[in-house]
Amino acid sequence: MNFLRIFARNLLRGPSTVPFPFGPAWTPARMRGRVQFKLSSCTGCRACEQVCAPGAIRFDKTPEGLRFMMWHNTCVFCGMCEFYCPTDAIHQSDDWHMAHAVGEKYGMAIREVIPYTACTGCGMKTLASAPNPIGVVPPFTPEEVEQQRNQCPACRKKALAERGTPS
Amino acid sequence: MSNFTIPVGPLHVALEEPMYFRIDVHGETVNNVTINAGHVHRGIEYLITKRNVFQNVVLTERICSLCSNSHPQAYSMAIEQIAGIKVPPRAEYLRAIADEIKRVASHLFNVGVLAHLVGFESLFMHVMEVRERMQDVKESIFGNRMDIGANTIGGVRYDIDPERIGYLRAQLDALVPDVEEIIDLYHTDNSILRRTRGIGVLSHADALDCGVVGPVARAAGVNYDVRVKAPYAAYDRLEVPVHVLHDGDVWSRAMIRLMEARTAIDLIRQCLDALPDGPTVATAERPAIPPGEAIAKCEAPRGELIYYVRMTDSPKPERVKWRVPSFLNWDALGIMLKQAKVSDIAIIVNSIDPCISCTER
């Protein structure tokens, strides 16, 4: 008989499901959904590629630079790439609306290239990636990031040494 | 009355996961049971040696969805032992919180499915609705309803701020009356009692013989809980009551699960009260893992889970082996199903909360 009370209460409360897709569905802010990539923050360290269990993230060298590739349909939404990214280059948004027609499957990817540039210090061909901020005290200012971006690894080290901080 | 041999499974309306039972019946009484396994073997022990230490945190999480926090936790503890990494205190508490949140959801799921198998569909839906609150908590705090991704080597991957602590406390406060109501209901409801009391009995002696673990053992009077016997994470600083019943029937196992779900809520509150400040992970960068081997164990919702990891110079483990609770518990099914009625088979199988995907991996 106890259950009749619960039954009546649940009946009065009405349905607890949401009428998706005809109405909005509740999504928490921390929901781990579609991966977003911010090219300007990427250091090219490839940590995300190494921790990606299904192999959804790949880097390859092209004539233009280092290409970041991420396949949404291979992603398992584990969040390891975001956790081990030294900058905020990779982020899982709360967007989970990823159903698509089969014909669009090759478009379900992120393809961005970190371009090659000539080092402003020595003129050597180098990747225009963001500098790695780990262990840099005080942290880089936005101007310093842009300055380091156009330098080769050796000139970056030199600039850090002149800055008087342990790299 | 004549003798028959009937198949139950591997695809069966009343079984949650694929498992094949060959059952010899005399009339409607079970005479003998043969269990055949291997329907969801995915070769994960092989796959794990083909991925590096960090990728395996995710792979172990995908072994099973209901114990999806216990697997990476035991795996991380083994790797931390090899590398000599000291997990920060805050991370230990956060690990215990994640573990207990998963335990509440897992136990309520099993108890809900019991109501479904009894034929009490409205109670099944009510329990699942109550459990849904915990699913929302997981989605809000961790970002996923099942694979919460709490653990990593050397700590945890999530943190809770005062706002989320307030949210979690409010959800727990709302959950307690519902869970207590369900406990009361399972104590008194005749539909439940008639189908579960005295069914699928596993005696204390048989429980020791089979070496069963988790709620199945505790329902048969075996006082064994890894959280108390070999504390890990923050459990040595928490007060963990162990519930023990002595009847060893389906009802006792369900009650143990319900009481543990209630206790888990208190454990989460204890963790939130004592949550220390500090880092949530030992090193921000990926630590180097030296060669070595280690064993770690933790209390998954279904019982004791043991991990063995051996590392060589390679970033990939040479061998990872785990012993899951269901492996011991399903052996006891042979004893529980003896002389049972055919209609009780599904209820008895569900009462050990079998996790085939863990066991066959």
Side-chain angles (χ1 to χ4, degrees):
Chain A
M1 285 309 279
N2 294 345
F3 189 75
L4 284 180
R5 213 172 54 235
I6 299 175
F7 186 77
R9 197 177 65 212
N10 285 348
L11 204 63
L12 284 175
R13 271 186 198 162
S16 57
T17 49
V18 291
F20 186 80
F22 305 107
W26 172 75
T27 306
R30 264 198 198 178
M31 164 90 194
R32 295 201 307 262
R34 181 196 287 264
V35 166
Q36 288 172 340
F37 180 65
K38 200 166 135 195
L39 181 65
S40 61
S41 299
C42 182
T43 66
C45 70
R46 301 172 81 152
C48 49
E49 183 186 30
Q50 283 157 29
V51 298
C52 184
I57 298 174
R58 293 275 169 82
F59 281 89
D60 56 2
K61 281 182 180 145
T62 67
E64 293 79 38
L66 184 67
R67 181 165 68 154
F68 170 91
M69 233 189 334
M70 191 270 155
W71 291 90
H72 292 300
N73 287 346
T74 313
C75 179
V76 297
F77 308 101
C78 63
M80 288 291 269
C81 51
E82 183 175 349
F83 184 75
Y84 282 109
C85 183
T87 58
D88 57 349
I90 206 159
H91 169 67
Q92 276 191 286
S93 66
D94 62 355
D95 174 18
W96 50 270
H97 302 277
M98 298 179 75
H100 59 87
V102 177
E104 295 160 22
K105 67 178 177 183
Y106 295 113
M108 289 295 285
I110 303 171
R111 298 179 186 85
E112 298 218 46
V113 178
I114 306 173
Y116 285 122
T117 181
C119 172
T120 51
C122 61
M124 211 179 77
K125 183 173 141 185
T126 183
L127 272 181
S129 59
N132 192 335
I134 286 184
V136 178
V137 190
F140 287 121
T141 61
E143 294 79 45
E144 277 177 315
V145 169
E146 288 316 306
Q147 196 188 342
Q148 290 246 321
R149 184 190 301 285
N150 296 314
Q151 286 175 334
C152 70
C155 292
R156 285 184 187 190
K157 261 193 182 153
K158 211 173 129 197
L160 265 178
E162 282 164 6
R163 200 169 177 254
T165 51
S167 59
Chain B
M1 284 195 290
S2 47
N3 292 323
F4 291 100
T5 302
I6 56 166
V8 175
L11 297 173
H12 190 267
V13 282
L15 297 182
E16 300 302 317
E17 285 190 73
M19 203 174 179
Y20 174 53
F21 299 92
R22 230 178 90 102
I23 297 178
D24 298 324
V25 291
H26 177 69
E28 62 161 340
T29 311
V30 176
N31 264 342
N32 192 35
V33 186
T34 318
I35 302 173
N36 282 335
H39 301 282
V40 279
H41 174 71
R42 292 154 292 166
I44 291 186
E45 283 189 14
Y46 172 80
L47 290 176
I48 219 162
T49 60
K50 298 290 159 199
R51 279 164 175 76
N52 68 37
V53 167
F54 296 92
Q55 291 174 310
N56 282 336
V57 173
V58 177
L59 184 61
T60 50
E61 188 165 39
R62 263 70 183 169
I63 291 166
C64 156
S65 63
L66 284 163
C67 342
S68 69
N69 189 53
S70 306
H71 280 280
Q73 178 160 341
Y75 170 77
S76 302
M77 288 194 297
I79 297 283
E80 283 151 12
Q81 222 172 302
I82 293 172
I85 299 169
K86 179 92 180 70
V87 177
R90 187 177 175 87
E92 291 189 320
Y93 277 89
L94 289 174
R95 274 188 178 178
I97 291 174
D99 213 18
E100 297 303 321
I101 287 178
K102 285 292 290 187
R103 198 183 311 279
V104 175
S106 176
H107 281 348
L108 285 178
F109 180 78
N110 178 262
V111 171
V113 171
L114 172 68
H116 162 68
L117 293 175
V118 164
F120 201 159
E121 294 300 326
S122 42
L123 176 60
F124 161 65
M125 287 179 196
H126 176 68
V127 177
M128 292 302 267
E129 163 95 59
V130 171
R131 170 181 179 265
E132 194 59 27
R133 194 179 289 282
M134 233 41 204
Q135 299 295 88
D136 286 349
V137 165
K138 284 190 265 178
E139 206 172 1
S140 304
I141 292 181
F142 305 99
N144 196 300
R145 285 163 57 88
M146 293 310 286
D147 295 322
I148 60 176
N151 291 286
T152 189
I153 312 293
V156 288
R157 285 194 269 145
Y158 79 105
D159 200 0
I160 42 177
D161 47 17
E163 187 196 338
R164 285 202 168 73
I165 290 176
Y167 167 78
L168 182 53
R169 278 189 194 277
Q171 294 295 316
L172 293 179
D173 290 345
L175 189 65
V176 167
D178 285 343
V179 170
E180 280 173 354
E181 197 175 50
I182 291 173
I183 293 178
D184 189 42
L185 204 65
Y186 275 74
H187 258 294
T188 53
D189 191 272
N190 270 327
S191 308
I192 298 286
L193 292 177
R194 274 201 299 259
R195 288 299 301 276
T196 56
R197 296 236 48 178
I199 303 290
V201 175
L202 183 72
S203 67
H204 182 77
D206 285 336
L208 291 177
D209 276 353
C210 293
V212 292
V213 289
V216 180
R218 292 192 282 274
V222 181
N223 187 347
Y224 184 81
D225 190 322
V226 181
R227 293 176 292 171
V228 176
K229 300 284 179 189
Y232 57 97
Y235 288 112
D236 53 344
R237 279 145 280 170
L238 302 177
E239 203 182 305
V240 188
V242 181
H243 301 285
V244 178
L245 290 176
H246 298 277
D247 290 350
D249 54 1
V250 171
W251 182 79
S252 302
R253 293 192 272 278
M255 289 321 289
I256 289 281
R257 291 203 177 89
L258 280 171
M259 290 191 289
E260 282 184 7
R262 177 68 189 82
T263 306
I265 297 172
D266 289 339
L267 287 174
I268 301 169
R269 284 174 170 164
Q270 280 184 42
C271 287
L272 291 176
D273 289 339
L275 191 65
D277 288 332
T280 54
V281 70
T283 52
E285 281 183 311
R286 286 164 296 153
I289 311 297
E293 56 182 350
I295 291 175
K297 59 180 180 176
C298 71
E299 180 80 15
R302 287 162 187 73
E304 181 184 51
L305 172 70
I306 303 178
Y307 259 72
Y308 166 77
V309 181
R310 186 164 73 230
M311 295 292 300
T312 55
D313 290 323
S314 156
K316 296 168 184 170
E318 188 181 49
R319 179 84 173 107
V320 179
K321 164 100 178 91
W322 52 103
R323 206 227 43 212
V324 299
S326 294
F327 182 68
L328 300 163
N329 291 348
W330 80 11
D331 191 38
L333 276 180
I335 294 165
M336 295 177 196
L337 287 171
K338 278 264 161 66
Q339 303 305 315
K341 294 277 177 277
V342 170
S343 57
D344 290 333
I345 291 172
I347 293 177
I348 295 171
V349 171
N350 177 69
S351 76
I352 67 157
D353 207 355
C355 185
I356 315 299
S357 49
C358 289
T359 318
E360 295 176 353
R361 46 212 185 241

